[in-house]
Amino acid sequence: PILVVKQAGALFLSGLVGDIAIPAQNAVNSASWVAENAAVSEVNPTYRQVTMAPKTLGTFTDISRHLMHQSTPAIETIVRNDIIKTLSNEVDKKAIQGDGTSNTPTGILSTSGIGAVAMGTNGDQGTWAKVVETWKEVATDNANVGALAFVTSPLQISRFMAIAKV
């Protein structure tokens, strides 16, 4: 299994040791038109640091002696693939919806200061208007660069598939 967030273009920083602070801009700069020999207004955008701390994710699989004695490469592959799938699903889940508590990462949906499109308490029927509004929020924050992707649930995909196309 491949991580959904990685396929969507998330940047993975490997080989890090300890906490890391990444600079981020709080607000964009501005420009102004001025008359000949007039001074341009001073604008001081502010910056912050986004600090990330290492998190540990693990899983435990109990394998019986009987299974180990009858083990073939196929059994090892099945167990290994299950572990990889379990860990990958949890990384995707917390990268998107993590709340930052109990040693878990803060996910995209729990990050303050990013644009959001209201879809109702437990999601809502997707519409083309909501897709366009989502794109607008990303573009408004000047984040519509690089590899962009929509990440949604199978339920929402099925809802989109059921919408009549004209």
Side-chain angles (χ1 to χ4, degrees), residues 101-117:
T101 61
S102 301
N103 298 315
T104 63
T106 301
I108 295 166
L109 297 177
S110 297
T111 300
S112 62
I114 61 172
V117 176

Side-chain angles (χ1 to χ4, degrees), residues 61-143:
T61 301
D62 207 1
I63 300 173
S64 71
R65 286 189 305 276
H66 194 200
L67 182 61
M68 287 177 23
H69 288 297
Q70 294 184 5
S71 183
T72 67
I75 296 297
E76 182 181 342
T77 301
I78 290 169
V79 172
R80 188 182 302 245
N81 285 344
D82 181 55
I83 290 171
I84 291 169
K85 183 177 179 182
T86 299
L87 295 174
S88 296
N89 287 341
E90 187 61 21
V91 167
D92 280 336
K93 180 180 173 185
K94 293 303 180 188
I96 295 168
Q97 288 186 302
D99 59 10
T101 61
S102 301
N103 298 315
T104 63
T106 301
I108 295 166
L109 297 177
S110 297
T111 300
S112 62
I114 61 172
V117 176
M119 290 292 287
T121 304
N122 293 314
D124 196 3
Q125 175 66 45
T127 63
W128 182 246
K130 291 291 186 182
V131 171
V132 172
E133 187 179 351
T134 301
W135 177 88
K136 179 199 68 131
E137 288 296 328
V138 172
T140 299
D141 290 340
N142 289 326

Side-chain angles (χ1 to χ4, degrees), residues 3-4 9 15 21-22 24 29-30 32 39 44 48 61 71 73-74 76-77 100 102 107-108 117 132-133 157 160:
L3 293 166
V4 171
I22 298 174
N29 206 337
S30 64
S32 58
N44 295 310
R48 68 186 191 283
T61 301
S71 183
E76 182 181 342
T77 301
S102 301
I108 295 166
V117 176
V132 172
E133 187 179 351
I157 291 171
F160 277 122

